[in-house]
Amino acid sequence: LQKHDLEMKMVNRMNDLLQACKSKEEAYHVIGLAIGEIFPGQSGGLAILHDSGSYLETFAQWGDEQFLKPIFSLEDCWAMRRGQQHVVLDPQTSIMCSHFLQIPRQGYLCLPHVVQGETLGLLNIDMITGMDSEHELSSRQLFLTVGEGIKLSLSNIKLRELMRDQATHDPLTGLFNRRYLNDTLSRELNHARRSNSKTCVVMLDIDHFKRFNDTYGHEAGDLMLRELGWILKGDIRKSDIVCRFGGEEFVLILLDTSIEDCQKHLEKVIEKVKAQQVRFGGQLLGTMSLSIGVVEASESVMDADELLGAADKAMYAAKHAGRDCLILYRDLKKHLSKVKFFNKSN
């Protein structure tokens, strides 16, 4: 009874910690430590189903031996195939799974994690040899209890991450949305100004996008937006921010970047955009061009909204200047006539 009471306290503590986890990575760390404490002397691991649904990845292991493969298919595990626990008491006389780095010398238990028909992953643990049937059954039941708490916690974390992602990302392009930008930009500006680093705010717009939509249809327009989003996201550092601001407008926040480096970066983006060959329904769509406005945050004391407004004014000045060009807000503000065009003639 004392042993059972101690085990339940450890299980409850694990569940409390899992409820407080903000990410799956935190949860995997908690699971590895907690199961190692609840089942001393036993080894095992947690594997999670990849987003593709075609294989599992091992994210946590405990005990003296690590015998789960880093990556393995669902077909390698009898528990995953059958959708129910698979118990091996004697490796010599049982049907064995194929997801081990080396053949187990003792029995084991594989427990699939399924919540409301959705497969999350797999828990595996070895069995202590020499147990009588009563203790073996008790240990197995404890593992099932632990597994139940883990799968519910992982499901909740996944749901929270999905809701958080939907709240901060544009569903069409996968980029951050305007809400995320509003929540983040002020904080990044304050950090940049405290560290005396340069930050550039870029507003860009696809030229003649309405005419493109009217010509090819809205589905083709959506494809073009996704392609531009892919280019913008693939050509920035992890520390930078790229957002779909609304419609065909996008915003880039380039941290620790001078205005000169920003212009060089945007030249590469424009080249990639113009070189992009997009097909829709077997038809080659027209090429894109961009009107771009840029403001350097360190040049003024403007707040986040004012900087976005300044970049927006520079972008519309680029449109009035003939489109397919970039205008700096400082040139606009000083009433300079110089406009830098990025086209073949230059």
Side-chain angles (χ1 to χ4, degrees):
L1 288 176
Q2 288 177 341
K3 181 175 180 295
H4 176 76
D5 183 58
L6 178 60
E7 290 170 344
M8 288 300 101
K9 286 181 179 179
M10 289 189 289
V11 171
N12 291 335
R13 181 174 178 272
M14 179 195 71
N15 290 336
D16 288 341
L17 289 170
L18 287 175
Q19 290 299 318
C21 289
K22 293 184 178 181
S23 67
K24 291 179 290 188
E25 289 70 27
E26 283 186 347
Y28 301 151
H29 183 64
V30 168
I31 290 167
L33 294 176
I35 296 188
E37 182 182 23
I38 297 170
F39 297 94
Q42 294 177 254
S43 300
L46 168 71
I48 299 297
L49 184 66
H50 188 262
D51 291 339
S52 65
S54 58
Y55 62 90
L56 296 119
E57 291 183 87
T58 300
F59 281 97
Q61 299 203 61
W62 53 87
D64 296 331
E65 295 185 46
Q66 296 187 356
F67 48 79
L68 278 185
K69 292 179 180 178
I71 296 177
F72 56 92
S73 73
L74 281 73
E75 296 300 313
D76 289 337
C77 181
W78 284 96
M80 299 302 294
R81 289 194 206 182
R82 300 162 61 215
Q84 62 187 54
Q85 60 175 300
H86 180 66
V87 182
V88 171
L89 298 178
D90 184 356
Q92 302 300 322
T93 60
S94 301
I95 298 175
M96 301 289 290
C97 298
S98 304
H99 47 65
F100 299 109
L101 293 171
Q102 54 189 12
I103 299 175
R105 296 187 298 272
Q106 56 199 46
Y108 64 88
L109 169 61
C110 283
L111 180 65
H113 278 173
V114 181
V115 179
Q116 296 182 345
E118 181 186 11
T119 301
L120 301 178
L122 170 75
L123 265 181
N124 169 271
I125 195 167
D126 63 12
M127 311 279 285
I128 296 178
T129 57
M131 272 189 180
D132 57 44
S133 58
E134 183 179 351
H135 284 89
E136 185 272 326
L137 183 60
S138 175
S139 178
R140 193 194 310 177
Q141 184 59 51
L142 177 61
F143 190 64
L144 296 179
T145 302
V146 168
E148 193 69 22
I150 288 174
K151 75 176 184 180
L152 292 177
S153 295
L154 292 179
S155 179
N156 288 337
I157 291 172
K158 185 176 181 180
L159 180 60
R160 289 200 301 269
E161 288 184 343
L162 177 62
M163 294 175 65
R164 186 164 56 246
D165 185 73
Q166 290 175 342
T168 58
H169 285 74
D170 170 54
L172 179 64
T173 62
L175 303 177
F176 288 118
N177 58 21
R178 190 167 183 169
R179 175 179 176 178
Y180 178 86
L181 182 66
N182 292 336
D183 292 342
T184 307
L185 183 54
S186 295
R187 182 177 67 249
E188 294 294 345
L189 287 175
N190 289 334
H191 176 74
R193 284 167 176 165
R194 284 197 304 269
S195 60
N196 198 30
S197 61
K198 296 181 178 181
T199 297
C200 288
V201 178
V202 180
M203 181 85 73
L204 58 88
D205 182 277
I206 302 175
D207 294 329
H208 302 297
F209 186 73
K210 184 179 184 304
R211 187 170 68 190
F212 181 90
N213 261 344
D214 293 341
T215 302
Y216 299 103
H218 289 286
E219 289 187 12
D222 288 346
L223 177 60
M224 194 66 80
L225 291 171
R226 285 195 294 269
E227 289 293 329
L228 177 56
W230 178 80
I231 293 172
L232 295 176
K233 188 175 182 180
D235 209 42
I236 63 170
R237 301 163 300 180
K238 289 184 178 180
S239 58
D240 296 329
I241 302 169
V242 55
C243 301
R244 184 184 177 195
F245 196 67
E248 66 272 25
E249 293 182 348
F250 295 78
V251 170
L252 299 177
I253 309 299
L254 303 180
L255 304 173
D256 195 23
T257 302
S258 67
I259 198 75
E260 293 77 18
D261 289 338
C262 177
Q263 286 180 275
K264 292 177 182 178
H265 171 77
L266 292 173
E267 287 182 29
K268 294 178 181 178
V269 170
I270 290 170
E271 290 175 2
K272 288 185 178 181
V273 167
K274 289 185 176 182
Q276 190 74 3
Q277 297 291 320
V278 183
R279 290 186 176 274
F280 178 77
Q283 182 181 10
L284 184 64
L285 305 180
T287 57
M288 285 186 287
S289 67
L290 304 174
S291 295
I292 304 175
V294 182
V295 59
E296 188 174 332
S298 55
E299 292 181 340
S300 69
V301 292
M302 289 187 287
D303 62 21
D305 290 336
E306 290 170 336
L307 284 169
L308 289 172
D312 189 56
K313 289 178 182 178
M315 182 194 72
Y316 275 99
K319 284 193 173 295
H320 290 302
R323 296 181 171 84
D324 189 19
C325 66
L326 178 152
I327 288 184
L328 305 180
Y329 179 73
R330 68 185 181 191
D331 293 344
L332 178 69
K333 191 174 182 180
K334 295 175 183 177
H335 304 287
L336 297 178
S337 59
K338 183 180 179 182
V339 176
K340 185 172 184 180
F341 284 84
F342 298 106
N343 52 38
K344 293 181 180 179
S345 63
N346 283 357

